[in-house]
Amino acid sequence: MGGGKCSGFFTILSIPFDPHKTFVISGLHSTIGRMPERTAQIKRDTKETRIELKLNIDGTGRSSISTGIPFFDHMLTLFAKHSVTDLKLKCKGDLEVDAHHTVEDCGIAMGRAFLEALGGKEGIRRYGTGFNSDQRNGKGEAYVPMDECLARCVIDFSGRPYLVWRGLDKLAFKEITGREKSQDMSSAFRFGLAREFFQGFANEARCNLHLELLYGSEPHHVVEAVFKAFAKAVDFACQLDSRIAGQVPSTKGKL
């Protein structure tokens, strides 16, 4: 059934099959169709940025990113790879002012894309965890190391926007020297810009998003660990659970 996020959906089948053909198993006559696509296309134009974005949640990790900020392009590329989504994003922003509007608005557009692509959220795990010994219960956290850094992310596509950002406050508004700007794009990017991206995402995706740097200090490693932890949590949360196929994962019946 095409890899995607449909984890274990057809584990009962031990023979190859054509998803367009009718088949019989143990006297049961059935027809299998393709899983509905979970995709979104966003176009967002303001006086500060122009963004075009295409998202396929059930992708293979392919991406095409162009924001005018090479380090940010790198972060979004690795997000697509490690969340196993297909992401195409092009942004033309007012970089002559600074990178703030571009980074924040890309977060807004991506959050909106996930909101649309997830639709009614039927059958999804909902809680993003990633590395947990008992994934069936949908509990745990996504921890990702990057050399001396360790980052953690937990996400809940609950319909309620809330960002928790811990462990980076002392780094977020660190003054960048002229030497740092010229020698290292990750230093020029600033940790505070990363927070603006995640705040925009949480607001538009309407999710609880908890991000924490447990330890670490090298600028590139810190931001990369946070984005990778975010990717793994999103990947897990968007996976389909065959046990609740067609059901909204909430006692309220709606998210």
Side-chain angles (χ1 to χ4, degrees), residues 213-232:
L213 176 69
L214 300 176
Y215 47 81
S217 58
E218 203 285 321
H220 191 134
H221 294 169
V222 168
V223 180
E224 183 162 339
V226 169
F227 268 88
K228 284 181 175 177
F230 172 58
K232 297 311 298 180

Side-chain angles (χ1 to χ4, degrees), residues 11-196:
T11 53
I12 61 170
L13 297 178
S14 59
I15 57 174
F17 67 95
D18 185 330
H20 293 300
K21 291 183 179 179
T22 300
F23 68 95
V24 176
I25 293 181
S26 301
L28 176 65
H29 186 274
S30 182
T31 300
I32 294 182
R34 291 191 179 278
M35 183 177 68
E37 289 187 350
R38 297 190 294 171
T39 62
Q41 186 168 339
I42 303 295
K43 186 175 182 180
R44 187 176 190 273
D45 291 344
T46 72
K47 293 181 179 179
E48 297 169 344
T49 59
R50 296 196 304 275
I51 297 174
E52 293 182 2
L53 184 153
K54 291 182 179 180
L55 171 72
N56 180 6
I57 289 178
D58 302 297
T60 59
R62 295 177 299 177
S63 63
S64 174
I65 311 294
S66 177
T67 67
I69 307 170
F71 182 76
F72 187 40
D73 292 352
H74 176 47
M75 294 300 104
L76 297 181
T77 298
L78 64 83
F79 167 80
K81 173 63 71 175
H82 294 288
S83 64
V84 201
T85 57
D86 291 341
L87 178 64
K88 185 176 182 180
L89 188 153
K90 183 177 182 180
C91 177
K92 176 68 174 177
D94 57 354
L95 295 179
E96 69 278 5
V97 176
D98 65 11
H100 184 109
H101 298 146
T102 293
V103 174
E104 179 182 30
D105 288 5
C106 285
I108 290 171
M110 277 186 59
R112 172 59 61 175
F114 271 89
L115 182 69
E116 292 189 9
L118 287 172
K121 302 174 186 174
E122 294 89 349
I124 68 168
R125 295 186 185 276
R126 173 180 162 177
Y127 297 98
T129 58
F131 304 116
N132 169 45
S133 59
D134 187 5
Q135 293 187 346
R136 294 177 305 165
N137 292 330
K139 298 178 181 177
E141 300 155 311
Y143 289 85
V144 170
M146 181 70 185
D147 293 348
E148 86 291 353
C149 298
L150 183 65
R152 173 171 60 196
C153 178
V154 184
I155 194 169
D156 174 14
F157 285 101
S158 61
R160 302 184 305 274
Y162 201 94
L163 174 69
V164 173
W165 179 262
R166 298 179 60 184
L168 293 114
D169 287 342
K170 291 182 179 180
L171 300 172
F173 301 105
K174 173 182 175 292
E175 183 177 352
I176 307 301
T177 67
R179 182 179 180 182
E180 285 175 322
K181 289 181 179 180
S182 62
Q183 74 179 9
D184 192 339
M185 284 297 297
S186 61
S187 292
F189 183 78
R190 292 194 295 111
F191 302 103
L193 283 177
R195 176 172 184 162
E196 294 305 314

